[in-house]
């Protein structure tokens, strides 16, 4: 039970030399302050990278064809080949636990060097994709008006298009109605049935300058036949696409008579694998932040311990008198420990408070000026703050332990002789 006299004594001891106490407390304050800032900065960077991934289904791989590098079954090396629409069914029949298999074709875009989309007197160079409706689950986007392509469009080969916010900004006047209007893609008219917006506040980013049309319509309008440029393949939840990747590639090698050891003929990008690497990177960054912040905090704790040793030394005569009057060693030890815990906790909570205020200020600044690229909403969870406060209490005990042991070793007779 904490008595009023004991707390009064703690305050008197710590305020006897204000300057020394403040300098000692600053070490702990700075340690916990740096720890919170490092963790918040790491979280802000992690949030920014996660937004770059957006809501893309991370358990997805993208696959395309390249030249063969080995001769096989009478076919020469350096042979070009293409995926076909029937490959979708073949992969589905031979590889289990797949959720979506979306064939895709693409033309034009800002890299093509020429305008491929016209509306009235306005023109633009945009990426145009021939897709199936499932692509919205693999590359999620928010439909802001109208609708996305559906299977009626696929079956009827309707000449309809869904355009991004960036396309709308370039081809339409502000406030102009979009749904039901027509755009011309490489000389073929398409009716706009929907608009979308992907993650990101900047309407000019390239992901907003894309146009989606039904895969079958794309193939017919632009003479692609049954050809498939590339595929987006997503595994079921609970099964990583990385574990199925080799099997998918081998099925396609067999179908297109590619040498089993030809590692160049089929290209792929494993988004799940890349996402896990990013996750591991940020896990490492969090540990680095914790280790660095903890070492800074430990330096502050050592300072507290040193000061408490000095305080005990200065109070040698007082401790001797208290021992001579019958005060127990535990009572003296508790007094020193409480002083250490109090100093550590107050300075640590001040560090938490200032760190939280600074993080709040940074977030307010980002909200008012717009997020910085790859740095969004730096924050520290309540669990981290609670753990930090618990660490402070434990640190206070550790800092006071050696001085407390030193105090109870003082012999009353020797202490009374001390000048």
């Amino acid at each position: 039970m904490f008595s009023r006299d004991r707390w009064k004594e703690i305050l008197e001891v710590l305020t006897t030399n204000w300057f020394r106490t403040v300098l000692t407390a600053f070490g702990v304050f700075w340690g916990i302050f740096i720890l919170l800032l490092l963790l918040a900065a790491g979280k802000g960077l992690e949030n920014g990278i996660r937004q770059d991934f957006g809501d893309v289904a991370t358990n997805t791989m993208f696959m395309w064809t390249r030249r063969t590098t080995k001769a096989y079954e009478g076919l020469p090396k350096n042979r070009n080949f293409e995926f076909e629409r029937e490959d979708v069914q073949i992969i589905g029949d031979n590889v289990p636990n797949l959720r979506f298999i979306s064939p895709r074709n693409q033309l034009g875009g800002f890299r093509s060097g020429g305008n491929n989309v016209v509306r009235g007197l306005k023109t633009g160079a945009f990426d145009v994709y021939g897709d199936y409706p499932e692509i919205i689950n693999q590359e999620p986007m928010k439909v802001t008006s109208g609708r996305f392509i559906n299977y009626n469009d696929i079956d009827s080969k309707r000449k309809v298009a869904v355009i991004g916010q960036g396309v709308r900004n370039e081809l339409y006047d502000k406030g102009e109605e979009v749904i039901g209007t027509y755009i011309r893609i490489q000389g073929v008219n398409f009716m706009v049935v929907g608009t979308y917006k992907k993650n990101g506040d900047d309407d000019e980013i390239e992901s907003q300058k894309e146009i989606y049309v039904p895969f079958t319509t794309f193939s017919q309008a632009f003479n692609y036949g049954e050809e498939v440029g590339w595929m987006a393949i997503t595994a079921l939840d609970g099964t990583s696409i990385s574990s199925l990747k080799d099997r998918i590639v081998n099925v396609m090698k067999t179908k297109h008579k590619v040498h089993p050891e030809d590692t160049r003929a089929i290209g792929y990008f494993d988004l799940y694998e890349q996402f896990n690497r990013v996750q591991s990177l940020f896990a490492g960054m969090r540990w680095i932040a914790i280790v660095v912040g903890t070492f800074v905090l430990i330096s502050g704790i050592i300072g507290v311990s040193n000061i408490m040793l000095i305080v005990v030394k200065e109070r040698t005569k007082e401790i001797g008198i208290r021992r001579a009057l019958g005060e127990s060693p535990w009572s003296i030890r508790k007094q020193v420990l409480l002083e250490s815990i109090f100093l550590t906790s107050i300075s640590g909570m001040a560090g938490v408070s200032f760190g939280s205020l600074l993080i709040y200020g940074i977030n307010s600044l980002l909200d008012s000026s717009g997020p910085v690229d790859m740095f969004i909403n730096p924050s520290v969870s309540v669990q981290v703050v609670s753990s930090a406060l618990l660490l402070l209490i434990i640190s206070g005990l550790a800092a006071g332990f050696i001085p407390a042991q030193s105090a109870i070793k003082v012999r009353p007779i020797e202490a009374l002789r001390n000048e």
Side-chain angles (χ1 to χ4, degrees), residues 235-247:
L236 290 171
D237 294 341
T239 303
S240 75
I241 193 66
S242 299
S243 66
L244 303 175
K245 178 173 56 184
D246 290 340
R247 188 168 180 178

Side-chain angles (χ1 to χ4, degrees), residues 62-79:
F62 303 94
M63 184 171 64
W64 60 92
T65 62
R66 298 186 293 205
R67 287 179 180 269
T68 60
T69 60
K70 295 178 181 291
Y72 187 63
E73 293 190 1
L75 297 172
K77 68 176 183 179
N78 295 325
R79 171 174 58 94

Side-chain angles (χ1 to χ4, degrees), residues 268-289:
Y268 55 82
F269 178 77
D270 187 343
L271 190 60
Y272 181 81
E273 183 178 49
Q274 298 302 316
F275 184 75
N276 280 344
R277 287 180 181 177
V278 171
Q279 291 286 83
S280 299
L281 171 65
F282 284 113
M285 289 178 60
R286 280 193 294 271
W287 277 109
I288 290 173

